[in-house]
Every structure is written in C-alpha cells, then in structure tokens.
Amino acid sequence: MLMRTDPFRELDRLTQQLMGSSGTWSRPSTMPMDAYREGDDYVIALDIPGVSTDAIDIDVERNMLTVKAERRPVPKSDDVHMELSERPLGVFSRQLMLADTLDIEHIKADYDAGVLTLRIPVAERAKPRKITIGESTGRKQISG
C-alpha cells in the first residue's frame, strides 16, 4: 500500500540528531510514523508534538501525500535564560507514495496529543469480493 520514496531518509535523520540541526523549508527534518491497515482504512500516524494545527500542511497530488509541519519557538520574555534546549524546532516533512488501491478523495485527518492521524479508505475496486457462478441456460451452436 505504501512505498518509501527516499531510502536515505533514516540516515539523514540520524545525522541531524548527531549534528543537532533543525529542519528548514528547503531541507526539512523527518517525523516518525506508523502505517497500518485497520479494517477498510489505511492508517498513518505521525508524531509531531508541540505543533499547532495551523502549522500543519497536508497535500495530495496524484498519489503523492505530503505532510509538512513547523514547530516554532515559544516566545519568551527578556529575563529568561535557557539552561537546556533539546526539543527540535523547525520544519518537519514526510512524503509517501500511496497505492492506486487507496481512495485519496476521502482522506480524514485528526490531530490529538501531538499525533496526526490520517485515515485513507481502501478503494471499493480494491476490496475483496465474492464472484458467484451463474447457470448457463443453453447454448446455440453455429453450423457452417
């Protein structure tokens, strides 16, 4: 149902963690995800805690699903002196190639407790169906 589009994304993520770099719009960081089928829906759950819903952008073009989010710094007063800052800021993105067997016209998105959940229905044409065998009523023979 799902194809990874960038085999080096995990290596990029590890490099970003080691270097401590934040994602930018031209080079966003990745966001962790789970993908699974639940009944007639394909579910994608993306971790983006601390991001407001107005900073999340979800697009589908043809079969390419793109999710971008930006975690912005929390405004602080002038008398605050940061002691430790481990929570990554910046832009996060994930692109997924969706199979033709998914109904991209009816994607539903929910955001709760820092998890963006996308539910994509399996297209009717891709669902298993039973085919019954009908009785033949008789055959004509053509002689010639």
Side-chain angles (χ1 to χ4, degrees):
M1 293 278 181
L2 180 66
M3 286 179 27
R4 290 185 181 255
T5 58
D6 185 1
F8 300 103
R9 187 171 285 278
E10 185 66 17
L11 183 61
D12 288 344
R13 185 186 65 78
L14 290 172
T15 302
Q16 286 175 353
Q17 276 184 335
L18 292 173
M19 303 297 276
S21 59
S22 296
T24 63
W25 282 104
S26 61
R27 189 157 174 78
S29 299
T30 189
M31 56 185 90
M33 71 169 223
D34 290 335
Y36 53 92
R37 184 163 174 176
E38 183 176 60
D40 287 338
D41 287 339
Y42 197 71
V43 181
I44 299 170
L46 299 144
D47 283 351
I48 44 177
V51 175
S52 63
T53 55
D54 63 332
I56 300 172
D57 187 34
I58 306 167
D59 290 317
V60 177
E61 185 175 341
R62 296 188 185 178
N63 284 9
M64 181 66 72
L65 172 73
T66 303
V67 178
K68 281 194 175 185
E70 184 175 11
R71 184 178 301 129
R72 300 175 182 120
V74 177
K76 297 173 185 64
S77 65
D78 292 337
D79 63 344
V80 172
H81 300 285
M82 187 63 79
E83 295 289 332
L84 179 65
S85 180
E86 292 182 344
R87 297 178 1 181
L89 300 174
V91 180
F92 302 85
S93 178
R94 199 71 187 241
Q95 279 193 317
L96 305 167
M97 180 67 77
L98 302 176
D100 291 333
T101 57
L102 298 176
D103 184 359
I104 61 173
E105 300 296 322
H106 295 97
I107 296 175
K108 293 179 185 167
D110 293 307
Y111 185 62
D112 184 39
V115 178
L116 175 67
T117 303
L118 304 172
R119 292 187 171 277
I120 310 166
V122 174
E124 286 297 321
R125 68 180 184 279
K127 292 179 184 175
R129 60 190 178 277
K130 186 81 169 165
I131 299 172
T132 58
I133 301 171
E135 284 187 37
S136 59
T137 55
R139 297 184 182 165
K140 287 186 181 179
Q141 286 192 348
I142 300 174
S143 58

